[in-house]
Amino acid sequence: MTLTPYLTVHDGVAALAYYAAAFGAREEGERYVEGDGRIGHATLVIGEDVLFVSDEFQEFGAYSPATVGHATGAVVLEVGDVDRVYAAAIAAGGTADREPSGEPGAREGWLVDPFGHRWALRQARA
């Protein structure tokens, strides 16, 4: 089995650029774009993990945090250097939620991306 997050955003083109700048995401495969310009599907790869992204399609029940007024979940991203990735995500346009700090067994920082999704960046300690 494989679990793949599928994020709905209010500006797909900008989201793809943000995830590339913030997390080093690279787009893989062919992007599906509707006739009205909305991204129906894009596949991003971050490290070895896959993330799907689409614009809002309210007619199909796909709403972004910008429309509902808040995030409804969070994505946890394991990284090698939480401080570096956190700084890059903030510099790319994210909003700080909780600065990176240590806790038993890990170092973690939380942010909200420009599209309203919450991210926990986590660095396991050896």
Side-chain angles (χ1 to χ4, degrees), residues 35-109:
D36 62 6
R38 292 181 293 171
I39 293 177
H41 177 83
T43 300
L44 297 179
V45 177
I46 300 173
E48 297 178 15
D49 296 312
V50 174
L51 172 70
F52 295 156
V53 176
S54 79
D55 275 305
E56 275 192 316
F57 285 85
Q58 292 181 13
E59 62 272 30
F60 297 119
Y63 295 88
S64 75
T67 296
V68 298
H70 56 83
T72 59
V75 178
V76 179
L77 180 61
E78 296 276 346
V79 298
D81 182 344
V82 72
D83 295 290
R84 181 187 61 73
V85 176
Y86 187 88
I90 298 303
T95 302
D97 184 16
R98 288 180 259 167
E99 297 285 329
S101 64
E103 57 184 56
R107 182 164 175 78
E108 191 172 272

